[in-house]
Amino acid sequence: MRVFPWDIALAATDLCRDSDPVLALSSTTDVVAAVRSARDVSLAAYILRPGPVESALVDAARHGARVRVRLEGQPFGDVRGDLAAGNRRAIEELRSAGADARLAHEPGSAEPPLHLKALVTGDAVYLDDRNWAGDGEETIVRDTFSQDRRMVADAIAGKADPPSPFFAAEKHDALASAARLLDSCTKRDDVALESESFGAYNSTYYALDDLAKRGCAPRILIADREFESNPKERAAVEALERDGADVRITASDEKFALVGNRAWIGSANATAAFDRPDQLDWSVRTDNAAIVARERVVFEKRWQSAQRPSFS
């Protein structure tokens, strides 16, 4: 198993909590119900578009619940400013309803970039990998482990906690966690990974490249939008293909990895993590059978319709 400089303390830990009783598949419907019944709720998202989750937060604030919302103040690659404008609109609407809502990581701020998509209630944290889109194409899990909930609540409040063996709230730690899972692979395991964007110079990439060179032939799905617009991403993917990985392009932009009957899911893309302070992202490793089966089904469905990349 490869040990990364930031990962030494976790290198000897188990890969997953046994049977993972604290995790369960959830849905936008469950999240909305949790917001409506909560007296105290915190949400973080990279962007927040109009939809059922935003509406539930506004209603909760209007009816007296304590609602805190943090959205990214400088969305990456937002050339026209549309994403930032959308976040400002959401913040204004939430504030008018009585919520404690603001943009994080605005220009000139020392705050870390905010890529976390999580909602904390009194007894659980709901984790999403696609900004609460509500279209049924994202993975949402409900996590009732108190340490995980506390780590997310602290991250939203601006406090950094060290990662646990199974959970991370920052990008470096999230990618290192995925790399540990990938490094555990044997040739009996089917390895599959999906990421919205992709690049070299991160622990997940190096672990995939090692698997490819070992003859494990990892299958990788990458969102076509990012791939087509980024020459560095295409070069990194082409190098993986030469080393034995099987890469395809898809319209989806989820983020998860599968090794046999274990899974890593999160909000962190498999790209370089250079920001200091580290970008806020979440990840969890699990052997929960329902979660692993869900990710297997959606991966195989997308794989069948995905296209092989062109590097010309």
Side-chain angles (χ1 to χ4, degrees), residues 31 34-35 38-44 57 66-68 116-127 132 143 145-146 148-157 167:
V31 171
V35 171
R39 301 306 304 162
D40 192 316
V41 57
S42 297
L43 176 136
L57 291 165
R66 184 183 181 192
V67 176
R68 289 174 299 276
L116 187 73
K117 296 96 171 167
L119 183 142
V120 181
T121 63
D123 60 352
V125 56
Y126 293 84
L127 303 161
W132 314 106
D143 185 344
F145 190 48
S146 60
D148 299 351
R149 179 192 173 279
R150 184 178 67 251
M151 287 174 65
V152 172
D154 284 349
I156 295 174
F167 192 86

Side-chain angles (χ1 to χ4, degrees), residues 14-88:
D14 292 338
L15 286 165
C16 297
R17 292 178 285 229
D18 292 341
S19 301
D20 241 338
V22 301
L23 290 182
L25 283 171
S26 190
S27 65
T28 301
T29 300
D30 293 340
V31 171
V32 169
V35 171
R36 287 176 174 165
S37 63
R39 301 306 304 162
D40 192 316
V41 57
S42 297
L43 176 136
Y46 187 63
I47 57 174
L48 185 62
R49 293 189 171 96
V53 173
E54 181 188 321
S55 296
L57 291 165
V58 169
D59 288 345
R62 285 176 177 162
H63 287 87
R66 184 183 181 192
V67 176
R68 289 174 299 276
V69 175
R70 301 291 182 263
L71 305 179
E72 170 60 26
Q74 299 184 82
F76 178 75
D78 187 22
V79 177
R80 299 188 305 177
D82 294 342
L83 299 182
N87 280 351
R88 288 194 298 270

Side-chain angles (χ1 to χ4, degrees), residues 22-266:
V22 301
L23 290 182
L25 283 171
S26 190
S27 65
T28 301
T29 300
D30 293 340
V31 171
V32 169
V35 171
R36 287 176 174 165
S37 63
R39 301 306 304 162
D40 192 316
V41 57
S42 297
L43 176 136
Y46 187 63
I47 57 174
L48 185 62
R49 293 189 171 96
V53 173
E54 181 188 321
S55 296
L57 291 165
V58 169
D59 288 345
R62 285 176 177 162
H63 287 87
R66 184 183 181 192
V67 176
R68 289 174 299 276
V69 175
R70 301 291 182 263
L71 305 179
E72 170 60 26
Q74 299 184 82
F76 178 75
D78 187 22
V79 177
R80 299 188 305 177
D82 294 342
L83 299 182
N87 280 351
R88 288 194 298 270
R89 176 212 55 80
I91 293 298
E92 290 171 4
E93 183 165 354
L94 286 157
R95 281 179 174 172
S96 68
D100 169 9
R102 69 173 179 85
L103 297 176
H105 186 234
E106 291 192 275
S109 168
E111 290 182 300
L114 174 59
H115 200 248
L116 187 73
K117 296 96 171 167
L119 183 142
V120 181
T121 63
D123 60 352
V125 56
Y126 293 84
L127 303 161
D128 182 20
D129 64 348
R130 292 186 62 248
N131 289 300
W132 314 106
D135 58 8
E137 292 296 318
E138 74 266 63
T139 299
I140 299 177
V141 294
R142 182 176 186 267
D143 185 344
T144 58
F145 190 48
S146 60
Q147 183 177 4
D148 299 351
R149 179 192 173 279
R150 184 178 67 251
M151 287 174 65
V152 172
D154 284 349
I156 295 174
K159 178 183 176 181
D161 294 327
S164 76
F166 315 104
F167 192 86
E170 294 185 346
K171 183 171 183 176
H172 277 100
D173 299 322
L175 294 182
S177 179
R180 288 198 302 278
L181 181 62
L182 293 166
D183 280 341
S184 74
C185 172
T186 70
K187 289 191 175 181
R188 297 188 302 273
D189 293 322
D190 180 39
V191 179
L193 179 140
E194 180 173 334
S195 185
E196 180 180 5
S197 54
F198 205 82
Y201 311 114
N202 68 80
S203 51
T204 298
Y205 179 91
Y206 295 135
L208 287 167
D209 196 42
D210 275 358
L211 288 179
K213 291 175 178 176
R214 284 162 47 191
C216 295
R219 293 183 295 157
I220 303 168
L221 282 174
I222 303 171
D224 51 9
R225 180 183 66 255
E226 298 283 343
F227 179 83
E228 296 298 336
S229 64
N230 191 332
K232 290 184 178 180
E233 179 167 319
R234 292 198 298 274
V237 171
E238 187 173 16
L240 278 178
E241 283 251 305
R242 287 196 303 268
D243 287 339
D246 191 354
V247 182
R248 297 186 186 179
I249 308 303
T250 181
S252 177
D253 56 5
E254 283 204 87
K255 305 150 193 78
F256 60 85
L258 301 164
V259 176
N261 64 352
R262 291 154 291 159
W264 172 99
I265 39 180

